[in-house]
């Protein structure tokens, strides 16, 4: 399987305007650090084969298998717009790209995970820097089961383990950046409501018993502001704006 992320190869695959400049290194601590530069324009993308200090949400680490993962950070400069919403925008784009390439139904587990068959194949990390947002996206692409982190809150999968075949990381990146540009453009111009139906169609949590943000109940839809609606035992609905979702039982694949 050809899986070349070097600039010469990616230039031929790139769709749209994200990825200019394209900063490629064989190894780094975290791609998040490579685009934390006020001088870089919106759309700058950093990509590496291996991170020695990959970061996940809530201070966690993000592990990769060198040469098998897609590890990228995109510099965006959203005008207004709540930051947590951008996490949903990026998760939606990632799910769409994964589905386009693998054919497997990809769902968004609010607020930032992408699941196929109940397995987490991608995660999003947003970090704010001087008027910009570094949007980090990690996709497990070519890892075999034994190369994936064990004991994670949501069991991990890769595009290989869920589809049974290898995938070209250059094609995954090109699809991802193309989808991100489209979703980001829609969100920037029309707000989250314009992408809510697409997000709702990929809502991995709807109907599941969850504990999140100090409440327990049944997850419902994604609220117009980007929070998660939870139906409480009393029958009332509350909206949780941020937090880590704990699913009681395994995550359903939806549909
Ligand atoms: C999560 O699910 O906790 C978010 C994971 C985000 C991982 C990506 S990989 C590229 C970028 N660089 C990092 O150090 N983290 C993000």
């Amino acid at each position: 399987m050809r899986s070349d992320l070097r600039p010469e190869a990616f230039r031929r695959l790139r769709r749209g305007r994200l990825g200019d400049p394209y900063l490629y290194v064989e190894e780094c601590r975290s791609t998040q650090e490579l685009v934390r530069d006020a001088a870089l324009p919106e759309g700058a993308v950093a990509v590496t084969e291996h991170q020695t200090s990959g970061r996940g949400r809530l201070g966690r680490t993000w592990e990769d298998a060198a040469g098998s993962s897609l590890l990228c950070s995109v510099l965006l400069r959203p005008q207004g717009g709540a930051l947590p919403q951008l996490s949903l925008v990026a998760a939606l784009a990632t799910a769409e790209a994964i589905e386009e390439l693998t054919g497997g139904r990809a769902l968004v587990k609010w607020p930032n995970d992408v699941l196929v068959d109940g397995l987490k194949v991608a995660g999003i990390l947003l970090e704010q820097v001087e008027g910009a947002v570094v949007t980090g996206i990690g996709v497990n692409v070519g890892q075999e089961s034994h190369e994936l982190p064990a004991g994670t809150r949501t069991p991990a999968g890769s595009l290989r383990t869920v589809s049974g075949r290898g995938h070209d990381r250059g094609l995954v990146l090109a699809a991802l950046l193309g989808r991100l540009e489209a979703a980001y453009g829609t969100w920037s111009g029309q707000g989250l409501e314009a992408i809510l139906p697409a997000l709702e169609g990929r809502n991995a949590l709807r109907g599941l018993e969850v504990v999140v943000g100090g409440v327990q109940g049944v997850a419902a839809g994604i609220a117009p502001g980007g929070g998660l609606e939870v139906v409480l035992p009393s029958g009332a609905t509350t909206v949780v704006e941020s937090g880590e979702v704990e699913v009681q039982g395994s995550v359903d694949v939806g549909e």
Side-chain angles (χ1 to χ4, degrees):
M1 166 60 53
R2 192 177 58 89
S3 198
D4 194 347
L5 290 171
R6 287 173 300 177
E8 317 77 73
F10 182 66
R11 201 170 300 126
R12 289 192 289 274
L13 301 172
R14 184 172 146 225
R15 312 173 183 171
R17 68 184 179 93
L18 298 181
D20 183 20
Y22 182 77
L23 312 170
Y24 172 85
V25 292
E26 284 278 340
E27 182 182 292
C28 63
R29 283 170 45 80
S30 163
T31 53
Q32 296 292 93
E33 295 170 5
L34 303 182
V35 287
R36 288 177 81 91
D37 180 347
L40 284 173
E42 181 171 60
V45 170
V47 172
T48 191
E49 302 287 343
H50 174 53
Q51 296 182 141
T52 55
S53 210
R55 305 204 278 259
R57 273 180 85 229
L58 307 172
R60 300 197 185 108
T61 56
W62 182 261
E63 292 174 30
D64 67 76
S68 289
S69 301
L70 177 60
L71 307 159
C72 69
S73 296
V74 185
L75 187 71
L76 297 173
R77 299 187 189 284
Q79 306 296 310
L83 196 61
Q85 292 187 4
L86 183 54
S87 177
L88 290 170
V89 171
L92 173 64
T94 305
E96 288 174 342
I98 287 172
E99 188 162 314
E100 174 188 325
L101 290 164
T102 65
R105 187 70 178 145
L107 301 182
V108 173
K109 177 178 172 240
W110 182 95
N112 78 320
D113 293 343
V114 178
L115 314 183
V116 177
D117 294 341
L119 303 174
K120 176 168 172 174
V121 294
I124 316 290
L125 173 69
L126 299 189
E127 293 178 333
Q128 210 150 10
V129 289
E130 300 172 51
V133 181
V134 177
T135 306
I137 304 173
V139 185
N140 299 327
V141 180
Q143 290 99 322
E144 303 283 1
S145 302
H146 69 272
E147 296 175 301
L148 291 163
T152 48
R153 209 174 246 264
T154 305
S158 70
L159 303 194
R160 176 185 293 278
T161 64
V162 297
S163 70
R165 62 193 167 90
H167 295 273
D168 181 338
R169 289 173 303 152
L171 288 176
V172 179
L173 179 60
L176 178 51
L177 295 181
R179 298 282 185 166
L180 180 59
E181 182 177 353
Y184 178 65
T186 303
W187 173 68
S188 301
Q190 302 166 52
L192 190 71
E193 291 201 28
I195 61 165
L196 265 189
L199 267 172
E200 199 45 61
R202 295 183 185 277
N203 181 357
L205 294 175
R206 180 177 275 281
L208 298 183
E209 189 75 44
V210 295
V211 177
V212 56
V215 303
Q216 176 156 16
V218 176
I222 294 164
L228 180 68
E229 295 169 341
V230 179
V231 181
L232 304 172
S234 65
T237 298
T238 188
V239 175
V240 177
E241 299 298 343
S242 65
E244 183 76 351
V245 178
E246 202 182 303
V247 176
Q248 312 292 284
S250 61
V251 178
D252 207 331
V253 293
E255 293 206 333

